[in-house]
Amino acid sequence: MKRVNFLMIFFFSFIAFSLEKSGIKEYDQLDFSNGEITAYYDKDSNYTEDKELAMFYRKVFSESKGVYLVADFYKQTDTPQLIFKMTDFDDDNTKVGKEASYDILENLSYVADLKDGMFNGKFTSYKNGKIDYIADYLQNKQTG
């Protein structure tokens, strides 16, 4: 039994430390074992009540002044796909602040500024742990 517990602790420790850092302190220090699952999504990111068809699930971690800290997880690996803040966790058009995106292998894909659920501001894309490119966005349209 001790051996099994040790292996489980080692495995979960590896997961907790293998996620690439986003540079957003609040997101990088998030304890993914906390939070409450609020929704499931299919392969096309559409809401589904059928957990078996789900590819992703959403967890709400905290609320401060009407803004919720939320993460969407790959159901297959229980690792984050997106980490973001929103004012209504049932409406993606209320995303605000910064969004960090990860691929299924826990590699950082991008960090972007958001307003009203759209890219607004700096968008930094990553490849192999390094900055691939930086762009500016205004209402989901690249401006620079």
Side-chain angles (χ1 to χ4, degrees):
M1 184 66 175
K2 287 182 183 180
R3 178 183 270 172
V4 171
N5 286 340
F6 174 78
L7 290 174
M8 288 184 69
I9 289 169
F10 176 78
F11 176 74
F12 287 113
S13 296
F14 177 76
I15 287 175
F17 293 108
S18 62
L19 189 69
E20 281 188 37
K21 301 292 184 194
S22 68
I24 307 166
K25 185 177 180 180
E26 186 175 13
Y27 296 2
D28 293 339
Q29 294 177 348
L30 194 56
D31 180 355
F32 297 124
S33 65
N34 291 331
E36 177 184 344
I37 296 175
T38 61
Y40 291 90
Y41 298 90
D42 66 16
K43 64 180 175 54
D44 298 319
S45 298
N46 296 315
Y47 173 79
T48 180
E49 291 186 16
D50 188 343
K51 294 178 188 178
E52 298 303 315
L53 294 177
M55 294 280 297
F56 308 100
Y57 62 91
R58 178 166 288 174
K59 269 186 166 183
V60 176
F61 290 92
S62 64
E63 182 271 334
S64 176
K65 299 178 183 176
V67 178
Y68 298 90
L69 179 57
V70 180
D72 289 348
F73 289 82
Y74 294 100
K75 183 180 163 207
Q76 178 183 3
T77 60
D78 292 321
T79 58
Q81 181 218 12
L82 292 173
I83 306 171
F84 51 91
K85 292 184 177 183
M86 58 194 331
T87 57
D88 178 351
F89 57 82
D90 290 324
D91 183 358
D92 282 355
N93 293 325
T94 67
K95 289 181 181 179
V96 294
K98 298 223 179 255
E99 176 176 87
S101 174
Y102 294 88
D103 66 22
I104 199 162
L105 299 175
E106 303 178 20
N107 299 310
L108 186 62
S109 297
Y110 69 79
V111 174
D113 292 325
L114 297 172
K115 182 178 178 187
D116 299 326
M118 295 184 275
F119 295 140
N120 271 295
K122 186 176 175 182
F123 180 100
T124 306
S125 176
Y126 294 86
K127 190 173 187 178
N128 300 324
K130 296 184 182 197
I131 294 175
D132 186 32
Y133 67 88
I134 298 173
D136 292 317
Y137 275 79
L138 181 61
Q139 296 181 343
N140 269 354
K141 293 182 182 165
Q142 189 172 344
T143 60

